[in-house]
Amino acid sequence: MAETQNAPAEIKKPARRVYVDAMKGLGIILVVWGHFEEYYRGNSPIFNGSFECMYLFHMALFCLCSGLVAKFNVFKLIFQQVWLYLLCQGGLLLFRQYVLTEDLTAAGDTLQLLVTPWRHMWYLYALIFWELTVPLLALLRDKLWIPGRILGLAAAVALGLWAGGMEWKYSLNRVFCFFPFFAAGVLFRQEIDCWFRAAMRFIPLRLLSGAAFLGVYGYWMHLILEAPEPVYEGARIFNDVAYNDGYTMEDRAWFYLIGILTSLVLIAFLGNVRTLASLGKRTLPVYIMHMPVYAFLVELGTYAIAGEKEVAAVAGWVFLAAGGTICLFASAPIAGLFNLVANIWYKLLPAGVLAIWRAIRSRLDGQKNLTA
């Protein structure tokens, strides 16, 4: 009886939230599609319109999901996130130098190249900084309740708005700009969980959310297609740049509002789609590898050749290139390999340290028994 009472309780891992995985799955599709069609921006209203619509919310959705699952762990931060960023950034430097044949000497020394994210690597880079804020955000969320959550989000938005007033080195502009979405995920985790459950329980709420998303973005797409002049909003959708060329603080404020509201609508509308959730569990290799694939295809000249065709053929090329990349790197073998590499220190190092400690304890206990 005593052994039963003193036995440690079984620790169960928290269940994965299906809507978070589903939104990550949707997000990675939009990220890859957006990058793979970026080459053709300005060539057709269809590409301009789809690009404009996606870039209003797709990274907001991704950042919100990261905040929803964020937990501060110094060991994980160093031996998983920092390790993964440095490994991937270093590998991409070799790819740029020897495959894309870029001249990297003008970009600075090796250290500067490592701390300046290449293209999409800014997201892994930003997560390192954002994770450092989780203890404070969690304190505001758990100790001050609703006032603390509102205060935390207001401070994050204020920081993002202020940061747009100057140029930042090392992609810190993106770290500041997208931080409010991450903070919203941390601060309003419980409320967003309740929102998803309500949408699953009340089907009209889910249908209304879907109709609102399709209606608003369909209308915006229609306006772009029918515009007398090509709609090519560069600075206004790349909200990670400093305020200039007609891009203002008000534009960034609207970007925050649109991104958060669209994310909530999509959570209610598509949060229980199991196919998206399955893909959402394997986003890491897709995110890391899609940009090298795109850059390599451009370097080979395939994008220039495809651009000479009709719009339908070009769209088909983008669909096949983006879809093939997603399917390849989301496959179980490649996803498993990437997860192993990403977690090799985070999972194996603690086990090794624990094994050494147990061996030392066993040896000490053996010596004590011999002495006795």
Side-chain angles (χ1 to χ4, degrees):
M1 179 65 69
E3 291 182 359
T4 303
Q5 292 176 344
N6 295 330
E10 182 181 356
I11 300 176
K12 296 183 179 179
K13 292 183 178 180
R16 295 182 70 103
R17 285 170 286 179
V18 63
Y19 79 87
V20 176
D21 287 330
M23 292 302 98
K24 288 171 61 181
L26 176 62
I28 198 62
I29 292 174
L30 296 177
V31 167
V32 176
W33 179 269
H35 284 153
F36 274 58
E37 77 164 0
E38 185 176 0
Y39 185 93
Y40 300 117
R41 287 183 65 215
N43 290 4
S44 165
I46 292 178
F47 289 116
N48 287 351
S50 59
F51 195 86
E52 294 278 331
C53 291
M54 284 188 296
Y55 270 69
L56 285 175
F57 68 88
H58 76 314
M59 284 311 301
L61 187 64
F62 237 122
C63 297
L64 183 75
C65 288
S66 294
L68 285 168
V69 298
K71 293 181 180 180
F72 183 67
N73 182 325
V74 175
F75 188 87
K76 182 177 182 179
L77 179 65
I78 296 173
F79 290 100
Q80 186 189 69
Q81 292 178 241
V82 174
W83 149 255
L84 183 62
Y85 168 77
L86 292 176
L87 177 67
C88 294
Q89 181 72 358
L92 288 173
L93 287 176
L94 296 176
F95 170 79
R96 293 167 60 191
Q97 183 172 0
Y98 295 106
V99 178
L100 301 182
T101 63
E102 293 184 23
D103 182 10
L104 301 178
T105 56
D109 56 23
T110 303
L111 179 60
Q112 188 172 1
L113 289 169
L114 282 175
V115 298
T116 305
W118 181 65
R119 297 192 180 186
H120 64 309
M121 289 300 296
W122 73 266
Y123 188 65
L124 273 68
Y125 178 81
L127 282 173
I128 297 171
F129 292 92
W130 295 344
E131 289 288 343
L132 297 174
T133 68
V134 171
L136 176 59
L137 294 174
L139 180 66
L140 292 171
R141 179 192 66 205
D142 299 335
K143 299 300 182 181
L144 299 182
W145 300 94
I146 296 299
R149 299 171 196 187
I150 295 174
L151 175 63
L153 183 59
V157 170
L159 179 63
L161 295 176
W162 164 81
M166 61 190 74
E167 297 283 354
W168 297 89
K169 294 183 178 180
Y170 311 118
S171 287
L172 289 175
N173 46 0
R174 297 189 176 192
V175 174
F176 287 120
C177 172
F178 290 98
F179 173 63
F181 300 117
F182 175 85
V186 177
L187 291 164
F188 292 94
R189 182 177 300 172
Q190 297 173 353
E191 287 78 7
I192 296 175
D193 284 347
C194 291
W195 167 253
F196 170 70
R197 289 195 296 268
M200 295 304 100
R201 181 174 300 178
F202 303 105
I203 302 301
L205 177 59
R206 183 182 177 191
L207 296 177
L208 182 62
S209 298
F213 175 80
L214 296 175
V216 170
Y217 281 92
Y219 179 68
W220 178 239
M221 185 73 175
H222 170 74
L223 293 179
I224 294 175
L225 294 177
E226 298 297 324
E229 297 291 335
V231 178
Y232 193 81
E233 294 284 2
R236 292 177 186 273
I237 59 173
F238 288 110
N239 284 272
D240 53 0
V241 296
Y243 304 135
N244 53 31
D245 296 330
Y247 170 51
T248 67
M249 183 180 293
E250 183 180 357
D251 293 321
R252 181 169 288 190
W254 276 108
F255 175 65
Y256 290 149
L257 181 61
I258 292 171
I260 291 176
L261 289 180
T262 303
S263 297
L264 292 176
V265 166
L266 287 172
I267 286 172
F269 181 35
L270 300 173
N272 70 335
V273 177
R274 299 289 174 174
T275 304
L276 291 176
S278 178
L279 175 60
K281 298 175 183 178
R282 299 174 177 178
T283 58
L284 176 63
V286 180
Y287 187 84
I288 292 173
M289 294 304 300
H290 82 278
M291 186 59 78
V293 171
Y294 166 72
F296 184 59
L297 291 174
V298 172
E299 182 71 15
L300 288 177
T302 56
Y303 265 75
I305 296 173
E308 299 174 356
K309 307 297 182 180
E310 297 294 331
V311 173
V314 176
W317 156 249
V318 173
F319 175 80
L320 291 175
T325 299
I326 292 172
C327 291
L328 173 63
F329 292 104
S331 62
I334 293 181
L337 177 61
F338 268 79
N339 286 330
L340 175 63
V341 173
N343 293 307
I344 190 168
W345 300 114
Y346 174 60
K347 291 187 176 180
L348 295 185
L349 189 59
V353 172
L354 183 60
I356 294 173
W357 170 246
R358 287 175 175 171
I360 294 174
R361 286 290 303 271
S362 177
R363 188 177 184 86
L364 291 174
D365 290 343
Q367 291 178 351
K368 287 181 181 179
N369 292 334
L370 290 174
T371 303

